[in-house]
Amino acid sequence: RRMPAHHNTNGDVTICASYMARNPPLARNSCAGKILFIDAFTAGIAGDMFVAALVDLGVPLELVKRQLTRLDLQGNNYELNIMTTSRSAITAPLFSVRQRKRNLLRLR
């Protein structure tokens, strides 16, 4: 199931997505009472890779957007991008956040 190439949302935040989702979106509260254990002690974990993995597991990209708006960044003028990348015959989602304006994003 391919996500839309460009999906505009309310406000100044745009979600751009073009990747083949491997899992269906998780229903609200479908993981209530369950624990996802991440062992990042040995090698650490990159935030973009972690978000991409969550979206690939079925966390809706719209939920990621909603949580980012809670940071109260001035202007909320950024794009969330997720696409498919392939390296050494391994395919995975690639997540990034791109600021549309060159102004610094500051917490209020």
Side-chain angles (χ1 to χ4, degrees), residues 54-92:
L54 289 176
V55 171
D56 200 37
L57 284 172
V59 172
L61 196 55
E62 181 64 30
L63 177 62
V64 173
K65 182 201 79 91
R66 261 186 291 160
Q67 297 305 314
L68 283 174
T69 59
R70 295 177 72 189
L71 291 176
D72 200 22
L73 300 170
Q74 288 181 339
N76 284 337
N77 198 7
Y78 55 88
E79 293 177 354
L80 304 181
N81 301 295
I82 190 155
M83 64 183 86
T84 300
T85 187
S86 183
R87 297 189 182 126
S88 301
I90 297 173
T91 302

Side-chain angles (χ1 to χ4, degrees), residues 35-47:
I35 296 172
L36 174 63
F37 182 75
I38 308 295
D39 183 6
F41 178 75
T42 304
I45 190 167

